[in-house]
Amino acid sequence: MNLIFATNNRHKLTEVNQILGGTIHLTTLAECGITEDIPETSPTIEGNALQKARYVWERTGRNCFADDTGLEVDALDGAPGVHSARYATDGHDFEANVTLLLRNLEGVECRSAQFRTVVALIVDGREYIFEGVVRGRITCERHGEGGFGYDPVFVPDGEELTFAEMTPEAKNAISHRGRAMACLAEWLAENK
Ligand code: IMP
């Protein structure tokens, strides 16, 4: 089965290929001639995932999906949430985002948080939504070199290591994106 994955984020593409690899062939945006940044202007994670998938569907008429993720920190009332990519700056500056997050949590004891991924799938013009959540906590400093984004400061519940210290397989087995993609894969297996 062939699906366009509406992302320009190579980290995500690698992860999703590892998760879905073998069952679904992912076509990249570049391969179907979409080189511009897809607008993400919705105030919600769900809205952004749908906005990206619709953008691709409207231009290609091909089955596609998009994902959007937010890190929701309880002590910050759910921030950075939908603003996770642009928390500190206008660009996707992972370093600056983590630095700002750690600064905003300085001296804060309650460090619980969750990653939430929403996947929007469009098949033959019909829209479907899947969600994956992983609960955990924000560390006081960075640990590990793997992964991307907030991975060096997020320890999932029941684990000792940050996502950045885990192997890709260990992260994917319990991560927000892994869980959302597993729902997507299950739906595709049952319906396509
Ligand atoms: P996106 O909109 O799905 O690209 O995600 C928004 C931001 O959330 C990214 O720029 C990253 O900073 C962060 N993020 C998304 N997924 C992950 C992850 O798996 N680990 C750590 N940070 C992530």
Side-chain angles (χ1 to χ4, degrees):
M1 146 134 232
N2 238 293
L3 282 177
I4 300 173
F5 181 25
T7 186
N8 284 315
N9 179 332
R10 64 186 169 81
H11 300 281
K12 275 202 215 172
L13 189 62
T14 306
E15 272 193 14
V16 173
N17 256 319
Q18 282 162 348
I19 296 166
L20 299 179
T23 49
I24 294 153
H25 178 264
L26 297 183
T27 303
T28 63
L29 288 177
E31 281 166 346
C32 51
I34 299 178
T35 50
E36 67 276 22
D37 277 344
I38 302 181
E40 298 180 47
T41 53
S42 167
T44 65
I45 295 172
E46 293 77 2
N48 275 338
L50 265 173
Q51 186 179 16
K52 288 186 274 189
R54 285 176 184 158
Y55 186 96
V56 173
W57 169 260
E58 282 159 14
R59 277 156 189 81
T60 65
R62 289 168 61 185
N63 295 339
C64 59
F65 70 97
D67 78 335
D68 202 63
T69 295
L71 174 66
E72 301 172 324
V73 179
D74 297 338
L76 302 176
D77 294 327
V82 71
H83 305 294
S84 293
R86 296 177 180 78
Y87 190 37
T89 68
D90 254 4
H92 293 245
D93 187 336
F94 295 151
E95 277 297 307
N97 287 342
V98 170
T99 299
L100 179 61
L101 178 67
L102 291 180
R103 191 178 318 138
N104 287 343
L105 286 176
E106 255 170 32
V108 175
E109 264 187 39
C110 167
R111 305 184 73 90
S112 56
Q114 65 181 24
F115 273 117
R116 193 160 67 88
T117 292
V118 174
V119 171
L121 168 72
I122 304 184
V123 172
D124 301 332
R126 291 204 186 85
E127 297 175 349
Y128 306 87
I129 293 285
F130 308 95
E131 188 181 81
V133 172
V134 60
R135 297 276 313 162
R137 65 182 169 84
I138 306 299
T139 53
C140 292
E141 46 194 48
R142 294 169 171 82
H143 297 281
E145 303 292 328
F148 67 101
Y150 300 92
D151 279 347
V153 293
F154 184 85
V155 176
D157 281 350
E159 304 288 332
E160 299 292 324
L161 302 177
T162 66
F163 270 156
E165 294 175 296
M166 295 182 181
T167 62
E169 294 75 21
K171 177 186 172 188
N172 292 341
I174 56 171
S175 80
H176 45 301
R177 191 168 301 99
R179 288 175 178 167
M181 292 300 161
C183 295
L184 168 69
E186 195 179 328
W187 187 93
L188 291 169
E190 284 170 8
N191 293 279
K192 286 308 279 181

